[in-house]
Amino acid sequence: MTQPVLNASTNTISNDIYQLIRADIINGKFQPGEKLQIKPMCALYQVGNSPLREALTKLAATGLIVQQNQRGFRIPQVSRKDLEDICNSRIHIEVAALKMAIAKGDDHWEAQILAQYHQLQKTQQQALVDKAQWERRHTRFHNALIEACDSPSLLGFCNILHDQFDRYRRLAPADANIRAELDEQHRKIMLLSIAREESEAGELLAQHIKLSAKAAMAMFPK
Amino acid sequence: MTQPVLNASTNTISNDIYQLIRADIINGKFQPGEKLQIKPMCALYQVGNSPLREALTKLAATGLIVQQNQRGFRIPQVSRKDLEDICNSRIHIEVAALKMAIAKGDDHWEAQILAQYHQLQKTQQQALVDKAQWERRHTRFHNALIEACDSPSLLGFCNILHDQFDRYRRLAPADANIRAELDEQHRKIMLLSIAREESEAGELLAQHIKLSAKAAMAMFPK
DNA sequence: ATTTAATAAAATATCGATATTATTGATTAA
DNA sequence: TTAATCAATAATATCGATATTTTATTAAAT
């Protein structure tokens, strides 16, 4: 009796394209407020009507797209209020998940944090930083921190918020000083987590999220 | 210059059917683990292929359905572990939202809580309680409590968790004693919230959620 | 000029048919 | 028997075409 093997089965077009569009939105390939018309999108991604719509529907459910009845799909507008909401919720939920992970994490959890941090470091030390790779590894590092929280629902919410947050982060110009401080925070969060310093790690993660949002926040008037 | 009027526009079939299927799942019209085949579902809901799939895709994104690549959709299995996760996350997020609402809520918020509580009461006092109506009003009451939290993302997560939680609740047999205590908790939560007793209201809501889950939890071995 | 109405154009949402993939059942080999 | 292979059946996912709804354009009216 073999296990159902999760669903490593063949990917669907709908699913492939969902991932593609998701990445493109986060990476700012579309403007805030931009209309995503069906026919042009089909042409752009080389797929048919149905799988495209399924992908957009799914993205709408995670807040990376907004859907209006009979009026199609568009990229959400950006605003200070929205960013503040995402930022606050992310702090609230991700910090809770980190504390739970610190309470429950095992050797494998610790090892994964170290592994992902190492990979992130390696990417940063390259002469010409591969932006897409950095994004992927940065996400993986943050996920590794909370993975042991043992709560699928919280992990799901963290992913949703992370995606929305990243769209804002990539919208803002990079700042070398802030970047350096963020990197240092990564290191400290890693060490504090593995040292099981629950509240200190949580507090630092909260600060880290706030600092990550700083550049994007500056784009909006108070 | 007229406002875009939200999207009160014509509903789509996809959207109508999404709401219908969502309600049917929460109300236990399908068995845990049951396969949702496309053709039979089209026949059952009297709609075509595409809008059905879009509705199912959306439901999968909120966790009320699971999707497997190339193997369609099914109702999620139930388990103690899953229920515990949903219950804990709901406590964590909904209590936070309540506290924020208590901090920020205005007259309108207070009035809405009173109004929704009153409606819920009225439904309960009927000779023959209309189950569907009670569910609707119960959801509205809980939403009214947290609505003023001013966080769209937290409200969204609360809705997702509420739906998943309700499926479990409706799975378990009703217990008159527990029901009476839950009703009394509603009253107290309402009063404490309007009295701005932040931490007491939060604590009671947490207990309320735990007690709501009690009957369902008893269905699973420890 | 600015709104209102009617028409044309464009876009969305939906249908019905089909290709692709998974599942079932039968057949053969170990 | 059990396992493995292949064909048949059934189900999913996708395509292409069409009906419905929205948006843009033009003409008429205040």
Side-chain angles (χ1 to χ4, degrees), chain A residues 45 55 58 68 160 167 176:
Chain A
Y45 290 98
K58 208 162 145 190
Q68 293 174 293
I160 289 175
R167 182 172 74 107

Side-chain angles (χ1 to χ4, degrees), chain A residues 13-207:
Chain A
I13 294 178
S14 171
N15 203 50
D16 288 345
I17 204 189
Y18 163 80
Q19 320 239 36
L20 263 176
I21 299 177
R22 169 179 164 276
D24 285 348
I25 293 172
I26 292 170
N27 292 327
K29 298 239 171 101
F30 303 98
Q31 295 298 313
E34 182 175 345
K35 186 84 193 289
L36 302 177
Q37 291 190 140
I38 302 296
K39 230 195 299 184
M41 290 286 279
C42 286
L44 181 58
Y45 290 98
Q46 295 288 342
V47 295
N49 200 327
S50 323
L52 176 76
R53 287 187 58 90
E54 282 183 23
L56 295 179
T57 299
K58 208 162 145 190
L59 286 163
T62 65
L64 232 41
I65 282 184
V66 290
Q67 179 169 22
Q68 293 174 293
N69 280 345
Q70 307 284 13
R71 297 158 126 225
F73 302 85
R74 31 177 85 247
I75 300 294
Q77 293 290 356
V78 290
S79 71
R80 166 175 283 263
K81 207 163 147 42
D82 184 48
L83 176 55
E84 280 173 348
D85 176 37
I86 293 167
C87 189
N88 288 335
S89 295
R90 203 188 142 196
I91 288 172
H92 194 91
I93 298 176
E94 198 165 323
V95 168
L98 177 61
K99 289 181 178 175
M100 287 168 66
I102 289 174
K104 297 184 183 181
D106 57 8
D107 294 350
H108 176 256
W109 169 70
E110 292 185 3
Q112 276 304 308
I113 293 175
L114 287 166
Q116 299 305 336
Y117 179 78
H118 180 73
Q119 292 222 305
L120 182 58
Q121 278 300 103
K122 282 286 176 182
T123 299
Q124 279 169 176
Q125 285 161 4
Q126 282 168 10
L128 202 67
V129 174
D130 179 339
K131 266 291 200 178
Q133 189 186 59
W134 184 88
E135 287 289 338
R136 240 185 340 265
R137 293 185 172 183
H138 180 243
T139 300
R140 287 223 188 95
F141 171 67
H142 275 278
N143 265 323
L145 287 169
I146 60 177
E147 203 128 80
C149 79
D150 198 34
S151 169
S153 56
L154 287 192
L155 287 175
F157 296 148
C158 284
N159 281 331
I160 289 175
L161 291 169
H162 218 277
D163 281 356
Q164 296 189 23
F165 190 89
D166 277 356
R167 182 172 74 107
Y168 276 96
R169 190 165 47 72
R170 302 234 27 193
L171 222 58
D175 177 311
N177 289 329
I178 291 182
R179 185 66 263 155
E181 196 176 341
L182 289 170
D183 291 340
E184 178 60 11
Q185 287 179 335
H186 282 152
R187 200 179 62 83
K188 286 184 183 155
I189 292 170
M190 168 189 66
L191 294 174
L192 287 169
S193 296
I194 293 178
R196 313 281 168 163
E197 300 284 359
E198 187 182 296
S199 64
E200 282 189 64
E203 179 51 37
L204 189 53
L205 177 58
Q207 282 178 26

Side-chain angles (χ1 to χ4, degrees), chain B residues 20-41:
Chain B
L20 263 177
I21 300 177
R22 169 179 164 276
D24 284 348
I25 293 172
I26 293 171
N27 291 327
K29 298 240 172 102
F30 302 100
Q31 295 299 312
E34 182 175 345
K35 186 85 194 288
L36 302 177
Q37 291 191 138
I38 301 296
K39 231 195 301 180
M41 290 284 281

Side-chain angles (χ1 to χ4, degrees), chain B residues 116-131:
Chain B
Q116 300 305 336
Y117 179 78
H118 180 73
Q119 293 222 304
L120 182 57
Q121 278 300 101
K122 281 287 176 181
T123 299
Q124 279 168 177
Q125 285 161 4
Q126 283 167 9
L128 202 66
V129 174
D130 179 341
K131 267 292 201 177

